[in-house]
Amino acid sequence: MCPQIYLDNAATTKVSNNVKQAMLPFFDELYGNPSSMYAFGQQAKEKLEIAREMVAKCLNAKTNEIYFTSGGSESDNWAIYAATQIGMRQNKKHIITSLFEHHAVLHTLKKLEKQGFEVTYLPVHSNGIIRVQELKNAIRPDTCLVTIMFANNEIGTIQPVQEIGNICRENNIIFHTDAVQAVGHVSVDVDKMKIDMLSLSGHKFHGPKGVGALYVRKGIALSNLIEGGAQERGRRAGTENLPAIWGMAVALQDAVNEMEKVAAYELNLRDKLFNALSKIPHSAINGDKDIRLPNNFNMCFEGIEGESLLLLLDDAGICASSGSACTSGSLDPSHVLLAIGRPHEVAHGSLRLSLSKYTTQEEIDYVISKVPEVVDYLRNMSPVWDQLKKGVRKHVL
Ligand SMILES: *Cc1c(COP(=O)(O)O)cnc(C)c1O
């Protein structure tokens, strides 16, 4: 078996050893129900509130502004439903978002469109970043919500969140950001950036899966998501997943503490990838080269299919991802790559590599030697590449 090189950290990350150790006592010593009256339950309750405080501190939020959820998708859904409930009460039924949001946002908005909401989808342009002026132009008297992601999960580009926050605050519009890719990787300050609601997920920064949080600024009426017990201030019933919540809090604290160091480390390896793989002819970097997450690499190679590339890289022991939605059984190219203006045939030939603090120099060297080989191999078999070579078809990259 070839070495297993994991370069899909935007999909999920390994739980760090420190986090794993921190979670263990919750299974056999601290397993009380935080809602129980006796001391054993209250001990768990205390830990729950410490975890909430830890998460809040990492975002510069207040403790009572943090709600625990099952992950990024739930946080996105909840934030959007809550904000539009408020909008409905004020007869405001217009929402602004971007074309390249995560499906947890886009599919929720599609559902709301069927219920009578109007949605404006801002373009993200070839650099993968929205233009603030276009946001300003899209604002209407009945706009109740702006939901724009902090950093994109496919191409890693970072949006001008603070400017968006300022504009929304000036116009009295709720600003939600899906910060699942950003939290723990780049600095996030909800107060300074005037963010009203923010989604995060534990498994994107070396915490466990199935746990996340929603930050909701004090003063915003958050509607209930799950009816039942009084957990999460009565807004999301169900016994808390304390081992996971604690694991996420520890993971976030660790990620924030070592953020600068890890970012510099990843950036160095990431740029080595860009420099080496940009030498492949008829290729292009997707998204702004610099205004992006330090661990995100994404390129298109003309004349190949992303799916075949992934399969061959898998054979070589490399776990990577493509812009095309091959895993969902759909042949549609990525909505993100189409949003930045890549033509269909090019959007199919994309490669995303997302690094972590566990990625090594040796692994990157191996990838740098392997990818050009695989791209060459696939191009030689491709009828499209043959047409490009013969000049029957024109190059777009
Ligand atoms: C992973 C991800 C999500 C979904 O988070 P889950 O915890 O897996 O539900 C949402 N948005 C973005 C940008 C993501 O990267």
Side-chain angles (χ1 to χ4, degrees), residues 10 70-74 76 102 104 149 151 153 178 180-181 201 203-204:
S70 69
S73 302
E74 181 185 321
D76 284 343
H102 190 273
M149 68 199 321
N153 47 302
D178 173 340
V180 173
Q181 289 289 330
S201 177
H203 73 106
K204 301 293 175 80

Side-chain angles (χ1 to χ4, degrees), residues 117-385:
F117 279 86
E118 248 185 274
V119 181
T120 301
Y121 297 89
L122 297 177
V124 288
H125 302 283
S126 58
N127 63 355
I129 298 170
I130 68 140
R131 296 206 180 129
V132 168
Q133 188 57 46
E134 288 178 337
L135 167 65
K136 282 185 184 163
N137 296 346
I139 290 175
R140 309 190 325 206
D142 63 339
T143 306
C144 63
L145 169 68
V146 169
T147 173
I148 292 176
M149 68 199 321
F150 202 115
N152 184 265
N153 47 302
E154 281 187 37
I155 60 174
T157 49
I158 296 170
Q159 304 304 311
V161 172
Q162 184 155 358
E163 285 173 78
I164 299 170
N166 284 335
I167 294 165
C168 290
R169 195 61 58 88
E170 278 162 23
N171 288 278
N172 204 16
I173 299 167
I174 293 175
F175 171 38
H176 165 253
T177 186
D178 173 340
V180 173
Q181 289 289 330
V183 168
H185 297 271
V186 293
S187 106
V188 174
D189 182 326
V190 292
D191 188 48
K192 189 177 104 192
M193 295 170 166
K194 300 197 167 58
I195 297 166
D196 295 317
M197 296 175 135
L198 175 143
S199 306
L200 65 90
S201 177
H203 73 106
K204 301 293 175 80
F205 46 77
H206 305 292
K209 293 168 183 57
V211 64
L214 176 64
Y215 153 80
V216 182
R217 189 170 58 81
K218 200 167 181 300
I220 293 176
L222 180 67
S223 41
N224 295 0
L225 185 70
I226 302 175
E227 304 302 331
Q231 291 92 353
E232 300 304 300
R233 274 167 247 117
R235 298 196 171 90
R236 184 188 185 273
T239 303
E240 301 87 346
N241 185 357
L242 195 50
I245 289 171
W246 187 259
M248 174 174 71
V250 170
L252 182 53
Q253 207 169 49
D254 288 351
V256 168
N257 284 340
E258 56 188 25
M259 186 180 290
E260 271 180 55
K261 203 180 84 201
V262 170
Y265 177 75
E266 291 169 339
L267 200 79
N268 173 47
L269 293 180
R270 196 272 312 274
D271 285 343
K272 278 187 178 151
L273 280 174
F274 270 142
N275 290 337
L277 300 183
S278 293
K279 294 199 181 98
I280 296 175
H282 305 288
S283 65
I285 294 174
N286 291 316
D288 194 282
K289 192 171 175 295
D290 300 308
I291 309 172
R292 70 195 294 135
L293 295 169
N295 70 335
N296 176 287
F297 164 100
N298 194 315
M299 281 188 73
C300 276
F301 304 104
E302 204 177 2
I304 63 162
E305 289 285 339
E307 286 94 306
S308 325
L309 180 62
L310 292 193
L311 289 175
L312 289 178
L313 289 179
D314 189 18
D315 284 344
I318 300 167
C319 302
S321 161
S322 169
S324 50
C326 51
T327 44
S328 64
S330 145
L331 285 174
D332 294 339
S334 142
H335 70 288
V336 173
L337 297 176
L338 295 180
I340 63 166
R342 295 285 178 223
H344 275 249
E345 67 273 23
V346 173
H348 271 300
S350 71
L351 174 66
R352 179 186 73 184
L353 301 170
S354 41
L355 288 56
S356 82
K357 62 180 177 181
Y358 299 116
T359 307
T360 66
Q361 174 72 55
E362 290 71 37
E363 290 174 334
I364 295 301
D365 289 342
Y366 176 70
V367 171
I368 286 173
S369 73
K370 206 75 204 174
V371 172
E373 203 180 287
V374 173
V375 168
D376 243 17
Y377 174 80
L378 288 173
R379 281 178 172 173
N380 285 333
M381 297 197 313
S382 154
V384 173
W385 187 251

